[in-house]
Amino acid sequence: MAHEVETHHGSHPGSGVYIKIAIILAVLTAAEVAVFYLDITSWLMTMILLALALAKFVLVVGYFMHLKMDDRRFSLLFFFPLIVMVSLAVALMALFHNLTR
Amino acid sequence: MWAFLGSDTLFFGTLIATHLVYRGRGGGTQEEIFDILITTVSTFVLLMSSLAMVLALAGFQQGKIGAGRFWLAATALLGSVFIGFQMFEFAEFAIHGLTPRTNLFGSTFFIMTGFHGTHVAIGILWLWSLFFASFKGKIHQGNALEIEIAGLYWHFVDIVWIVIFGVVYLVGAYGVEDRVAEGAHSMARIIGLV
């Protein structure tokens, strides 16, 4: 099983790439905090914050977790439950929004 | 490991969803006691621990065992710093009256972040076990997959915190989940689900 995984394994990026990714992650985090303190509408702030969080998420999953270069089956194993989870969260918020107010 | 991470995604998803659903109910929200700057620093620490983790993996994969060990220890230490920040934050919340027993916001918040902290703690123990195992020759270039699997777990813990920090601490402070809920409820009515 380990060998089978290895044959589907793409080459890992070098340390320089990882450091660049980390710098981008730090900048995105700083941007999130900067946006948080801006005087803008809550909807616009939400969209920007979610976009920044999504960018960080994609960078860590794609490069640090190496999913971008790995077998597509791993992506399926991870993203299918993620889609289920997000759908569940939105559905719960919609369902309980009126029922418990 | 990916299958496990998929299941853990569902686990944390339910905790985060439950917190978002109960936010604002059962006694009011406590966002005013969130210290965003402190949490930002702890978030940065956890992100840098992910960098240390990939550098540790690179070290072992390239046969640079000394460098690999160094970055493994750095990852564990940064994770411990993050735990320290969490404990400080929880203590501050308790001083300001927010505990798991205060209200629904408190109980869901502490369950969610508590489980995340537990995951971090388990990861730290795992990393130290790999660190000491490398001295006995049990972890080397030939079985760097062991480090990679631990790395997947550690990065997953990091991305869970990315979601919690963004959605709970930042977005949640403005009650926008109510707007999201209204929008989702409207869509559900339009397509006949409710």
Side-chain angles (χ1 to χ4, degrees):
Chain A
M1 183 64 183
H3 177 69
E4 186 179 333
V5 171
E6 290 287 353
T7 56
H8 289 285
H9 220 54
S11 60
H12 284 256
S15 300
V17 174
Y18 291 138
I19 292 171
K20 286 177 190 170
I21 299 287
I23 292 172
I24 294 172
L25 289 171
V27 169
L28 289 174
T29 303
E32 278 182 317
V33 177
V35 166
F36 180 76
Y37 287 108
L38 286 178
D39 185 22
I40 56 178
T41 62
S42 59
W43 261 119
L44 180 60
M45 180 179 298
T46 299
M47 292 299 112
I48 295 173
L49 288 175
L50 288 179
L52 291 172
L54 181 64
K56 288 162 63 178
F57 184 95
V58 167
L59 282 172
V60 174
V61 172
Y63 289 94
F64 284 0
M65 297 175 85
H66 205 246
L67 199 58
K68 188 171 178 286
M69 286 72 78
D70 272 348
D71 193 300
R72 291 288 175 232
R73 285 172 289 184
F74 295 149
S75 298
L76 187 66
L77 274 174
F78 182 70
F79 283 111
F80 179 70
L82 183 66
I83 291 168
V84 169
M85 182 272 285
V86 172
S87 305
L88 173 75
V90 173
L92 279 176
M93 284 193 286
L95 181 64
F96 283 89
H97 175 69
N98 285 335
L99 288 179
T100 59
R101 280 207 175 280
Chain B
M1 175 51 81
W2 280 110
F4 167 74
L5 295 182
S7 71
D8 226 15
T9 298
L10 288 170
F11 173 70
F12 276 106
T14 57
L15 295 180
I16 294 171
T18 303
H19 174 73
L20 292 177
V21 166
Y22 283 119
R23 178 186 282 268
R25 296 166 176 79
T29 57
Q30 304 287 329
E31 288 92 354
E32 61 270 16
I33 67 170
F34 282 167
D35 189 332
I36 297 298
L37 291 178
I38 292 282
T39 315
T40 302
V41 173
S42 66
T43 303
F44 175 78
V45 167
L46 201 59
L47 286 174
M48 292 305 106
S49 74
S50 269
L51 171 64
M53 188 70 233
V54 290
L55 292 177
L57 174 61
F60 279 97
Q61 285 178 332
Q62 294 163 15
K64 299 173 183 174
I65 306 303
R69 280 195 202 117
F70 172 82
W71 288 114
L72 260 187
T75 307
L77 287 171
L78 287 169
S80 301
V81 170
F82 175 81
I83 294 287
F85 270 107
Q86 288 295 89
M87 292 172 68
F88 170 79
E89 197 176 25
F90 290 173
E92 284 293 305
F93 289 170
I95 290 170
H96 287 92
L98 181 67
T99 69
R101 290 184 291 181
T102 302
N103 52 26
L104 280 173
F105 176 90
S107 60
T108 56
F109 174 81
F110 280 104
I111 289 287
M112 176 181 60
T113 54
F115 267 111
H116 176 264
T118 304
H119 275 69
V120 174
I122 291 171
I124 292 170
L125 292 175
W126 190 350
L127 292 172
W128 281 124
S129 71
L130 290 171
F131 175 79
F132 289 112
S134 71
F135 284 100
K136 298 178 182 176
K138 292 183 180 178
I139 304 294
H140 46 77
Q141 187 179 16
N143 62 356
L145 183 63
E146 308 279 339
I147 303 294
E148 186 165 5
I149 290 174
L152 287 178
Y153 177 87
W154 190 261
H155 296 311
F156 174 77
V157 162
D158 187 15
I159 61 175
V160 169
W161 186 254
I162 286 173
V163 173
I164 290 176
F165 178 64
V167 174
V168 175
Y169 281 84
L170 298 182
V171 172
Y174 289 87
V176 182
E177 68 279 0
D178 288 340
R179 306 269 182 90
V180 172
E182 283 172 5
H185 193 79
S186 298
M187 283 183 61
R189 282 170 58 189
I190 289 169
I191 61 178
L193 285 177
V194 292

